[in-house]
């Protein structure tokens, strides 16, 4: 559970941040229709303001650290090549969540591992370490009641779904504690450039 940062009374503004991969528009629209269908059948809540995403890390940080963070994330992203992400079928977290399976997670996990070089720039204090997602997926429905989950999984667990997209960048998003939704902040392109051996040493 998140702890209120010990520096909360210092007067510095801090926010919640996350780094995500976003499907292309056609696939996003397809997933949103699927979420709407599920909601209409089982009464789950659909946040149409939230695009389908694969979250790879979530963290708290002071706003004044954004420039340093952005520069480091840009360097990291530039060393990765665009890669293919395939979705196939459904998965679940009993008894509250149903999601779309990612067929091969290795390249996403490699990116997540690379982002750990910036982990010192992803924590507001020692009680709030960054949360790196080891099992990435795309949610169809979360925080379901037991009956919604049971009926939903019976209805969708064996259904057919496939989709694919090329991850060409990653997106940094943020929100303050008074805001309900994250907003896009900056996109970092995967440029497949040679690794600068000096940049990885800065925050280990």
């Amino acid at each position: 559970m998140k702890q209120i940062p010990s520096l909360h009374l210092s007067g510095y503004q801090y926010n919640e941040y996350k780094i995500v991969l976003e499907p292309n528009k056609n696939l996003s629209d397809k997933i949103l229709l699927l979420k709407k269908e599920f909601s209409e059948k089982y009464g789950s809540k659909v946040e149409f303001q939230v695009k389908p995403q694969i979250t790879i890390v979530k963290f708290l940080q002071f706003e004044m650290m954004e420039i340093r963070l952005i520069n480091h994330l840009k360097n990291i992203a530039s060393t990765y090549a665009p890669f293919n992400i395939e979705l196939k079928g459904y998965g679940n977290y009993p008894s509250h969540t149903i999601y779309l399976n990612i067929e091969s997670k290795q390249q996403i996990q490699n990116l997540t591992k690379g982002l750990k070089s910036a982990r010192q720039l992803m924590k507001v204090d020692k009680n709030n370490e960054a949360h790196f997602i080891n099992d990435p997926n795309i949610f169809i429905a979360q925080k379901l009641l037991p009956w919604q989950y049971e009926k939903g999984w019976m209805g969708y667990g064996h259904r057919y779904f496939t989709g694919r997209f090329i991850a060409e960048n990653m997106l940094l998003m943020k929100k303050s504690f008074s805001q309900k939704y994250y907003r896009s902040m900056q996109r970092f392109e995967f440029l497949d450039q040679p690794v600068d051996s000096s940049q990885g040493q800065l925050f280990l």
Side-chain angles (χ1 to χ4, degrees), residues 140-157:
I140 295 300
Q142 297 175 270
K143 300 179 181 178
L144 295 172
L145 298 173
W147 73 265
Q148 291 173 316
Y149 166 79
E150 290 170 10
K151 288 184 177 294
W153 185 239
M154 285 180 61
Y156 283 75

Side-chain angles (χ1 to χ4, degrees), residues 63-75 118 120-121 202-203:
E63 198 165 279
M64 65 182 181
M65 296 293 290
E66 285 181 358
I67 294 177
R68 289 180 63 190
L69 175 65
I70 286 170
N71 287 337
H72 200 56
L73 293 178
K74 182 178 179 180
N75 287 337
Q120 293 301 316
L121 292 173
L202 296 177
F203 303 105

Side-chain angles (χ1 to χ4, degrees), residues 73-176:
L73 293 178
K74 182 178 179 180
N75 287 337
I76 293 172
S78 69
T79 66
Y80 285 83
F83 56 92
N84 190 54
I85 295 178
E86 295 197 29
L87 308 177
K88 186 175 182 180
Y90 298 81
N92 69 96
Y93 296 138
S95 55
H96 51 76
T97 299
I98 295 173
Y99 57 82
L100 291 172
N101 278 318
I102 296 174
E103 182 77 71
S104 175
K105 302 181 180 182
Q106 188 60 56
Q107 288 181 294
I108 300 175
Q109 290 167 341
N110 290 343
L111 174 61
T112 302
K113 183 178 179 180
L115 287 169
K116 290 182 179 180
S117 69
R119 68 192 319 158
Q120 293 301 316
L121 292 173
M122 294 180 182
K123 66 176 185 179
V124 72
D125 62 23
K126 63 181 181 181
N127 295 318
N128 290 275
E129 296 282 348
H131 176 49
F132 293 91
I133 311 299
N134 295 317
D135 185 28
N137 50 61
I138 296 181
F139 294 120
I140 295 300
Q142 297 175 270
K143 300 179 181 178
L144 295 172
L145 298 173
W147 73 265
Q148 291 173 316
Y149 166 79
E150 290 170 10
K151 288 184 177 294
W153 185 239
M154 285 180 61
Y156 283 75
H158 300 289
R159 278 182 55 168
Y160 178 79
F161 183 93
T162 61
R164 67 176 59 186
F165 69 99
I166 297 175
E168 298 179 317
N169 52 62
M170 63 184 188
L171 176 64
L172 177 65
M173 307 183 75
K174 78 172 183 179
K175 73 180 185 72
S176 69

Side-chain angles (χ1 to χ4, degrees), residues 161-198:
F161 183 93
T162 61
R164 67 176 59 186
F165 69 99
I166 297 175
E168 298 179 317
N169 52 62
M170 63 184 188
L171 176 64
L172 177 65
M173 307 183 75
K174 78 172 183 179
K175 73 180 185 72
S176 69
F177 284 89
S178 64
Q179 294 173 321
K180 184 175 182 180
Y181 299 111
Y182 284 88
R183 63 189 186 277
S184 299
M185 185 176 171
Q186 185 145 339
R187 204 171 287 274
F188 305 94
E189 301 298 324
F190 299 144
L191 302 175
D192 196 20
Q193 293 178 346
V195 177
D196 180 351
S197 60
S198 65

Side-chain angles (χ1 to χ4, degrees), residues 25-48 50 52 87-91 98-101 138-142 144 152-153 155-163:
K25 187 178 186 306
N26 287 342
L27 183 55
S28 290
D29 289 346
K30 181 179 177 181
I31 295 170
L32 281 173
L33 285 174
L34 183 62
K35 295 175 73 168
K36 181 181 179 182
E37 176 192 81
F38 188 98
S39 175
E40 290 171 348
K41 286 184 177 180
Y42 306 111
S44 63
K45 188 175 182 180
V46 179
E47 301 284 6
F48 289 102
V50 180
L87 308 177
K88 186 175 182 180
Y90 298 81
I98 295 173
Y99 57 82
L100 291 172
N101 278 318
I138 296 181
F139 294 120
I140 295 300
Q142 297 175 270
L144 295 172
W153 185 239
Y156 283 75
H158 300 289
R159 278 182 55 168
Y160 178 79
F161 183 93
T162 61

